[in-house]
């Protein structure tokens, strides 16, 4: 019996015809590299998922995401500010999403997103002065989310949730968390699920409508 293809393999298969179309397109080389890097880290995340190493699942999937949104600042000769890059990238994805896949994701992941917005430990404002008062204030987005969902402000909802994922990502990358710590298992699980659910939607939208878009200069291009 043949082994069924993984989600990443199926996404790569759908991307292949577009990749081939961009083969001789100089501008398209950046997108080919972005997608290649993204797929490589998604595959790494799959392996960590099988090993139940959810810290690494989260980090690998964020790196995959970063491979898509990161841009090079030619003037300062360094990567552009991270948060602005991923927020602008989300706006660009929404602009080319002609089938409403992004909105459907945010609706379908409502419970997960609300749990993330209710978690004070992944809110940067809580860590300015950890206290009961700050914990209450840090859940303001959770209280506002019902209105955002009613008004279909899906971009705001996802950006606020991704902002929480980014806080946890920074905690881990800057040595502010212990690998496998019992203290952040809930936070890790929530954030890993969101980014893992988001990436296939983004890749599908890029595959469908992204080949003619300007995604900006990539960071650290491969050198022959």
């Amino acid at each position: 019996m043949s082994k069924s293809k993984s989600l990443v393999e199926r996404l790569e298969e759908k991307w292949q015809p577009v990749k081939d179309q961009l083969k001789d397109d100089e501008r398209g080389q950046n997108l080919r590299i972005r997608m290649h890097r993204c797929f490589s880290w998604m595959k790494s995340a799959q392996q960590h998922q099988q090993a139940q190493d959810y810290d690494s699942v989260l980090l690998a999937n964020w790196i995959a995401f970063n491979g898509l949104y990161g841009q090079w600042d030619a003037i300062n000769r360094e990567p552009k500010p991270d948060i602005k890059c991923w927020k602008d990238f989300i706006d660009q994805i929404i602009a080319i999403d002609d089938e409403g896949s992004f909105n459907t994701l945010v609706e379908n992941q409502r419970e997960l997103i609300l749990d993330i917005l209710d978690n004070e430990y992944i809110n940067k404002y809580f860590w300015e002065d950890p206290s009961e008062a700050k914990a209450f204030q840090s859940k303001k987005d959770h209280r506002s989310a019902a209105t955002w969902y009613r008004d279909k402000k899906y971009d705001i909802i996802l950006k606020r949730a991704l902002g929480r994922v980014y806080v946890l990502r920074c905690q881990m990358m800057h040595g502010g968390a212990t690998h496998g710590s019992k203290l952040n298992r809930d936070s890790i699980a929530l954030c890993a699920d969101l980014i893992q659910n988001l990436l296939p939607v983004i890749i599908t939208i890029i595959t469908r409508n992204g080949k003619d878009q300007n995604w900006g200069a990539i960071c650290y291009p491969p050198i022959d």
Side-chain angles (χ1 to χ4, degrees), residues 118-138:
D118 194 44
N119 187 328
E120 68 267 28
Y121 301 115
I122 48 178
N123 186 312
K124 65 178 182 178
Y125 298 112
F126 172 76
W127 292 108
E128 291 175 357
D129 176 28
S131 63
E132 289 187 14
K134 276 289 186 178
F136 179 79
Q137 292 173 9
S138 71

Side-chain angles (χ1 to χ4, degrees), residues 3 20 28 30 35 45 102 112 117-118 127-128 136 143 145 150 175-177 204:
K3 180 182 177 182
D20 292 341
N30 279 352
M35 294 289 274
F102 176 87
L112 172 63
L117 295 178
D118 194 44
W127 292 108
E128 291 175 357
F136 179 79
R143 297 190 292 274
R150 183 197 65 202
T204 299

Side-chain angles (χ1 to χ4, degrees), residues 90-115:
I90 291 296
D91 287 337
Q92 191 170 2
I93 289 294
I94 293 172
I96 64 172
D97 178 20
D98 58 351
E99 294 187 4
S101 303
F102 176 87
N103 295 347
T104 299
L105 169 76
V106 178
E107 280 286 2
N108 289 344
Q109 300 299 318
R110 181 185 294 222
E111 183 176 351
L112 172 63
I113 289 171
L114 290 177
D115 284 344

Side-chain angles (χ1 to χ4, degrees), residues 9-201:
E9 289 171 330
R10 295 196 302 273
L11 290 168
E12 269 191 306
E13 194 172 75
K14 291 181 179 179
W15 164 248
Q16 186 63 48
V18 183
K19 177 182 177 181
D20 292 341
Q21 291 175 28
L22 296 172
K23 183 177 181 181
D24 298 320
D25 183 339
E26 183 176 349
R27 191 180 70 174
Q29 296 310 306
N30 279 352
L31 181 56
R32 283 166 56 99
I33 294 168
R34 288 181 186 280
M35 294 289 274
H36 178 75
R37 289 173 171 176
C38 177
F39 285 133
S40 72
W41 285 102
M42 288 178 71
K43 290 174 183 176
S44 175
Q46 278 188 338
Q47 295 173 350
H48 291 303
Q49 182 91 33
Q50 293 169 357
Q52 298 185 336
D53 181 359
Y54 300 110
D55 292 345
S56 297
V57 170
L58 172 58
L59 291 177
N61 274 325
W62 188 277
I63 296 172
F65 181 43
N66 207 148
L68 295 176
Y69 74 70
Q71 293 194 31
W72 185 255
D73 184 335
I75 296 176
N76 294 315
R77 293 180 291 181
E78 62 183 15
K80 291 183 179 180
D82 218 33
I83 296 177
K84 178 173 171 39
C85 277
W86 65 252
K87 286 185 176 180
D88 289 347
F89 175 78
I90 291 296
D91 287 337
Q92 191 170 2
I93 289 294
I94 293 172
I96 64 172
D97 178 20
D98 58 351
E99 294 187 4
S101 303
F102 176 87
N103 295 347
T104 299
L105 169 76
V106 178
E107 280 286 2
N108 289 344
Q109 300 299 318
R110 181 185 294 222
E111 183 176 351
L112 172 63
I113 289 171
L114 290 177
D115 284 344
I116 289 173
L117 295 178
D118 194 44
N119 187 328
E120 68 267 28
Y121 301 115
I122 48 178
N123 186 312
K124 65 178 182 178
Y125 298 112
F126 172 76
W127 292 108
E128 291 175 357
D129 176 28
S131 63
E132 289 187 14
K134 276 289 186 178
F136 179 79
Q137 292 173 9
S138 71
K139 297 186 180 186
K140 180 181 178 181
D141 286 348
H142 180 267
R143 297 190 292 274
S144 300
T147 301
W148 295 335
Y149 268 107
R150 183 197 65 202
D151 295 339
K152 302 186 184 304
K153 294 182 177 180
Y154 298 117
D155 58 331
I156 293 177
I157 295 167
L158 186 63
K159 286 176 184 176
R160 295 301 176 90
L162 278 177
R164 305 295 183 96
V165 180
Y166 186 71
V167 168
L168 183 55
R169 170 260 184 211
C170 289
Q171 287 178 357
M172 299 170 71
M173 289 300 296
H174 296 290
T178 302
H179 181 263
S181 171
K182 294 179 180 179
L183 297 177
N184 65 3
R185 287 306 86 191
D186 289 345
S187 300
I188 291 289
L190 292 171
C191 294
D193 281 351
L194 180 60
I195 195 72
Q196 192 151 292
N197 291 329
L198 176 64
L199 279 170
V201 174

